[in-house]
């Protein structure tokens, strides 16, 4: 299956700490990509996979249809791929995908980003109660997600670069910030997210017809 990624990738980017501006020496290269399986491959009983790991280290790719479904659901991990400035590979289909990226955005991001952050906060809290230990890295990403959620609702752009808050976020990651201060910061960011959701100009639903047309075009070319 590696040939699907190697030969049919339409967009490959780096996300994670390097895209967030939170990287340091030895940080991972979190590679994410989108591939478009040849149209004829769907005619067989054995369909192409919806996603694949590898072949490079720290690499994960989605088939374009699955990618679009997740992006229309406002999945934060998937949406980041469309806004990462660290593009390693792109072809005309990838450019067409980026050209319609705004169609994936809707008010659903308030729910998904908020839910992801609340889930991470609950996980950190549960571990603290169970073991007395704090997953500081998870706490940092919870805060980053809340920032990103409010940002997209206000601006219509996915926030990756959090270098303005780099020192504060890395202090959380290093365990230098008291838990009460973290939860207080999270509560403030949740209020910002709620206020941004009230005022957002994003549509209530994403532009599915635009994405359908993209998929038709890609399949016809493939």
């Amino acid at each position: 299956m590696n040939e699907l990624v190697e030969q049919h990738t339409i967009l490959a980017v780096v996300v994670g700490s390097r895209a967030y501006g939170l990287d340091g020496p030895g940080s991972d290269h979190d590679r994410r990509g989108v591939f478009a399986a040849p149209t004829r491959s769907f005619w067989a009983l054995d369909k192409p996979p919806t996603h694949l790991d590898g072949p490079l280290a720290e690499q994960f790719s989605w088939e374009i249809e699955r990618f679009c479904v997740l992006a229309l659901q406002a999945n934060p991990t998937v949406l980041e791929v469309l806004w990462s400035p660290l593009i390693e590979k792109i072809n005309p289909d990838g450019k067409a995908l980026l050209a319609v990226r705004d169609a994936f955005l809707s008010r659903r991001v308030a729910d998904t980003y908020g839910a992801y952050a609340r889930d991470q906060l609950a996980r950190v809290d549960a571990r603290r109660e169970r073991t007395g230990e704090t997953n500081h890295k998870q706490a940092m990403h919870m805060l980053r997600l809340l920032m990103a959620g409010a940002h997209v609702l206000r601006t219509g752009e996915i926030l990756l670069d959090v270098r303005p808050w780099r020192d504060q976020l890395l202090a959380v990651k290093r365990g230098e910030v008291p838990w009460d201060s973290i939860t207080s910061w999270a509560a403030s960011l949740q209020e910002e997210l709620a206020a941004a959701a009230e005022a957002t100009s994003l549509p209530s639903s994403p532009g599915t017809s635009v994405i359908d047309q993209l998929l038709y075009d890609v399949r016809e070319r493939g």
Side-chain angles (χ1 to χ4, degrees):
M1 292 295 180
N2 283 349
E3 67 273 8
L4 285 172
V5 174
E6 293 171 341
Q7 300 176 19
H8 299 286
T9 288
I10 67 170
L11 176 66
V13 304
V14 173
V15 292
S17 61
R18 294 183 183 276
Y20 305 148
L22 298 173
D23 55 305
S27 289
D28 293 341
H29 285 82
D30 295 307
R31 293 182 170 89
R32 300 293 179 267
V34 184
F35 64 92
T39 302
R40 288 178 62 89
S41 65
F42 290 93
W43 300 350
L45 292 174
D46 188 14
K47 306 300 182 189
T50 59
H51 58 272
L52 288 168
D53 280 304
L56 298 177
E58 303 153 16
Q59 184 178 21
F60 186 91
S61 302
W62 296 269
E63 209 284 322
I64 186 171
E65 181 178 342
R66 179 59 177 164
F67 180 89
C68 288
V69 167
L70 293 173
L72 287 167
Q73 294 170 353
N75 180 299
T77 302
V78 171
L79 288 176
E80 286 182 355
V81 173
L82 296 172
W83 268 265
S84 174
L86 305 179
I87 297 174
E88 293 192 322
K89 181 178 181 180
I90 190 169
N91 71 5
D93 284 339
K95 292 178 180 178
L97 175 61
L98 292 187
V100 298
R101 66 185 184 180
D102 289 348
F104 291 106
L105 299 181
S106 71
R107 295 176 190 174
R108 293 177 184 175
V109 300
D111 295 328
T112 55
Y113 278 74
Y116 271 61
R118 286 191 297 273
D119 179 65
Q120 291 198 5
L121 179 59
R123 288 172 182 266
V124 176
D125 243 342
R127 179 174 176 178
R128 281 174 55 83
E129 291 181 5
R130 188 175 67 252
T131 68
E133 299 174 351
T134 301
N135 186 328
H136 299 291
K137 182 177 180 180
Q138 195 167 18
M140 178 192 72
H141 285 299
M142 175 268 295
L143 296 167
R144 183 189 58 77
L145 272 172
L146 288 170
M147 291 177 181
H151 182 89
V152 65
L153 288 163
R154 287 194 300 259
T155 68
E157 298 283 333
I158 300 297
L159 175 69
L160 276 87
D161 186 352
V162 291
R163 280 178 293 180
W165 304 275
R166 175 183 168 93
D167 291 344
Q168 300 97 307
L169 289 169
L170 290 181
V172 171
K173 183 180 179 181
R174 291 191 298 265
E176 297 170 359
V177 180
W179 181 243
D180 287 349
S181 297
I182 293 173
T183 56
S184 177
W185 189 3
S188 176
L189 290 172
Q190 287 168 339
E191 291 177 2
E192 288 185 29
L193 180 67
E198 286 290 326
T200 188
S201 60
L202 289 179
S204 57
S205 300
T208 52
S209 61
V210 173
I211 305 308
D212 274 342
Q213 187 60 57
L214 169 75
L215 290 172
Y216 295 152
D217 293 342
V218 169
R219 297 301 189 214
E220 286 178 351
R221 288 192 290 268

